[in-house]
Amino acid sequence: MGAPYTSELAAAIAPDLLARFERYVRIDTQSARERTRSPSTPGQLDLARLLVQELTEAGVTDAALDDNGYVTGSIPGNAGNGRAIGLLAHMDTSPDAPGAGVKPIVHADYNGEVIELPVGGTRLDPAAMPELLAKRGHDIVTASGDTLLGADDKAGVAEIVAAIAHLAAHPELPRPTLRIAFTPDEEIGEGATLFDIERFGAFCAYTMDGSDLGELQDETFSADEVIATIRGVDVHPGHATGKLVSALRLAAEVVAELPSDRLTPDTTSGRDGFIHPYSLHGTAAEAEIRAIVRDFDEQRLAEHVALFERTARAVVGRAPRATLDVVVHRQYRNMREYLEPVSFITDAAEAAILAEGVTPVRAPIRGGTDGSRLSEMGLPTPNIFAGGHEFHSVREWASLQDMAAAAATIVRLAEVWTREGWAESAAAGSAPAVR
Ligand SMILES: [Zn+2]
């Protein structure tokens, strides 16, 4: 009994897809939060150059790497109305787990038991991971225990290259013009920053950056970052009576006074947002609190930001000689607002997932994607599953069968966009008359 592929197409693409994925994850493309240029780290350019080469070998004649580390390319359509559809994935991996020296391991025909990785005592226990237990019989790819795998998002990168190679080798398969882009620095929130939508020239796009089989997302968090800087009065502690005002102590009080039984990442789920202080550092003289604030609703997001600021002002207000500065950075907005009026774009992905024989799973993402900002910038970009799990950790894993299903979904998506209803919608910018 062979591994459970979702279709013959997926099974046909799988060997090429796996070979590419194993090549890509070995390259260290971890991005860095302190960014002075794009991309933030040179390893991303190593992968970018390899991708230009592989796209070219696959038959993409205009594959190119730009000065900011974005890889683009296209294959011409043979049907549809001439408008191009974009396919996106990000090349960088998370700075939150070790990303150098990744050695992929394929656990063929997974038997449903605990997977013990060779290094660091890392275990993948299906008792704690119901998604893993559901993949019995799949070929599971992991790293070796002391690094992330990088399926986020090299699964998406490999799926796009493998699907494009398949389409290029099968010119009879219907497709609109397809534009491809691989972005740097998504994990540090900069993937869309230097993305040239005008030059990309697509009507809409899809990120291959979701997780489990069938996931399709047209809704992300709306996101702000809040930075509070407290300045105290620092004097020699031996002569401090009635003089010293400790900024560090005040900052700790601010964090302590924020709600801890609600509005936190660990006490919320579904559609509830949170305030998450993720960094606190300082001295008696000066301290800084950084918090990310998230919600699906813009009004509630503003209320969470206001609560943070009110709390900080109340605490610092009790020490009249201390000062407080609060800066709010807008990070990204829920893409639903931009995708709802053009819902046929998400519907096309749903039709493609169904054509692959997979049940679409629609749920909001408790996070953001490149599509969050691209949709706002004018390129409507929902998100499709890519087959990886336990992102940003040494337990990260991916199912080859689910990655192959994602690559096959891209081939199906190309066909959907040549259907009369969708091609017309792309021309009119409205909902299709024909479903
Ligand atoms: Zn990702």
Side-chain angles (χ1 to χ4, degrees):
M1 174 70 194
Y5 284 100
T6 46
S7 69
E8 281 177 24
L9 173 63
I13 295 174
D16 177 58
L17 167 63
L18 178 61
R20 294 185 196 277
F21 181 67
E22 289 185 304
R23 278 198 293 279
Y24 305 161
V25 297
R26 287 174 189 276
I27 301 170
D28 175 9
T29 62
Q30 192 170 51
S31 47
R33 288 204 175 83
E34 303 310 319
R35 167 163 129 148
T36 52
R37 64 169 67 85
S38 176
S40 62
T41 51
Q44 297 182 63
L45 292 175
D46 294 338
L47 177 57
R49 282 186 281 263
L50 176 65
L51 290 170
V52 169
Q53 184 193 327
E54 291 198 12
L55 285 171
T56 304
E57 285 165 6
V60 173
T61 56
D62 61 351
L65 170 61
D66 79 6
D67 291 343
N68 297 314
Y70 290 69
V71 173
T72 54
S74 54
I75 57 170
N78 59 14
N81 64 1
R83 298 193 70 171
I85 303 303
L87 298 167
L88 312 181
H90 64 89
M91 295 180 286
D92 65 317
T93 57
S94 167
D96 295 335
V102 175
K103 295 177 203 70
I105 301 171
V106 180
H107 309 264
D109 194 7
Y110 171 55
N111 60 9
E113 289 168 16
V114 172
I115 298 176
E116 308 256 8
L117 299 182
V119 188
T122 303
R123 303 166 88 242
L124 277 60
D125 186 348
M129 300 178 186
E131 296 93 346
L132 178 61
L133 193 57
K135 307 301 176 190
R136 207 188 292 259
H138 287 223
D139 301 322
I140 303 295
V141 190
T142 66
S144 46
D146 55 348
T147 67
L148 48 68
L149 173 61
D152 178 13
D153 184 26
K154 288 165 186 169
V157 175
E159 288 153 13
I160 291 171
V161 180
I164 290 297
H166 183 85
L167 285 165
H170 295 83
E172 74 284 1
L173 293 174
R175 82 291 304 264
T177 296
L178 294 171
R179 296 280 293 152
I180 306 143
F182 299 124
T183 57
D185 288 344
E186 189 267 0
E187 297 287 1
I188 58 166
E190 303 286 359
T193 310
L194 296 166
F195 192 99
D196 191 338
I197 291 180
E198 205 68 11
R199 220 176 76 189
F200 190 56
F203 165 76
C204 66
Y206 299 87
T207 46
M208 303 299 298
D209 196 15
S211 181
D212 205 12
L213 181 72
E215 277 182 14
L216 171 59
Q217 293 140 339
D218 60 357
E219 196 172 353
T220 58
F221 271 144
S222 285
D224 284 343
E225 182 181 31
V226 188
I227 302 169
T229 306
I230 300 168
R231 286 184 191 84
V233 180
D234 195 16
V235 288
H236 187 293
H239 307 275
T241 314
K243 294 179 188 155
L244 181 122
V245 180
S246 169
L248 177 63
R249 200 172 274 283
L250 289 170
E253 281 177 39
V254 171
V255 174
E257 289 202 9
L258 287 168
S260 61
D261 56 349
R262 65 188 178 92
L263 281 179
T264 70
D266 49 308
T267 58
T268 50
S269 60
R271 294 193 163 271
D272 293 328
F274 56 72
I275 301 168
H276 177 45
Y278 71 92
S279 152
L280 167 60
H281 62 264
T283 61
E286 183 172 322
E288 182 192 77
I289 308 164
R290 287 175 174 258
I292 57 169
V293 184
R294 301 288 188 261
D295 207 289
F296 290 97
D297 181 86
E298 182 113 27
Q299 180 60 38
R300 287 204 310 264
L301 179 75
E303 288 166 13
H304 303 331
V305 170
L307 173 60
F308 178 95
E309 185 158 358
R310 220 164 45 237
T311 305
R313 296 226 174 273
V315 169
V316 177
R318 297 200 287 262
R321 286 178 300 134
T323 63
L324 171 69
D325 273 313
V326 177
V327 178
V328 181
H329 291 297
R330 177 191 170 97
Q331 293 185 303
Y332 55 84
R333 287 297 175 263
N334 188 342
M335 62 186 177
R336 183 175 66 177
E337 185 184 332
Y338 307 97
L339 290 175
E340 244 172 13
V342 285
S343 58
F344 61 94
I345 292 169
T346 309
D347 292 346
E350 190 166 274
I353 292 169
L354 284 168
E356 180 52 26
V358 172
T359 306
V361 181
R362 300 280 289 263
I365 316 173
R366 290 178 67 79
T369 65
D370 276 341
S372 312
R373 279 176 64 208
L374 290 173
S375 296
E376 187 176 3
M377 287 158 65
L379 182 67
T381 307
N383 187 41
I384 296 175
F385 71 96
H389 296 264
E390 302 277 326
F391 292 161
H392 306 185
S393 85
V394 296
R395 296 173 307 281
E396 190 183 5
W397 60 276
S399 152
L400 173 59
Q401 281 69 26
D402 292 353
M403 289 195 286
T409 295
I410 295 171
V411 176
R412 313 276 184 198
L413 181 64
E415 183 273 323
V416 169
W417 272 103
T418 64
R419 292 181 193 170
E420 213 174 316
W422 271 287
E424 284 166 359
S425 302
S430 62
V434 184
R435 291 285 168 97

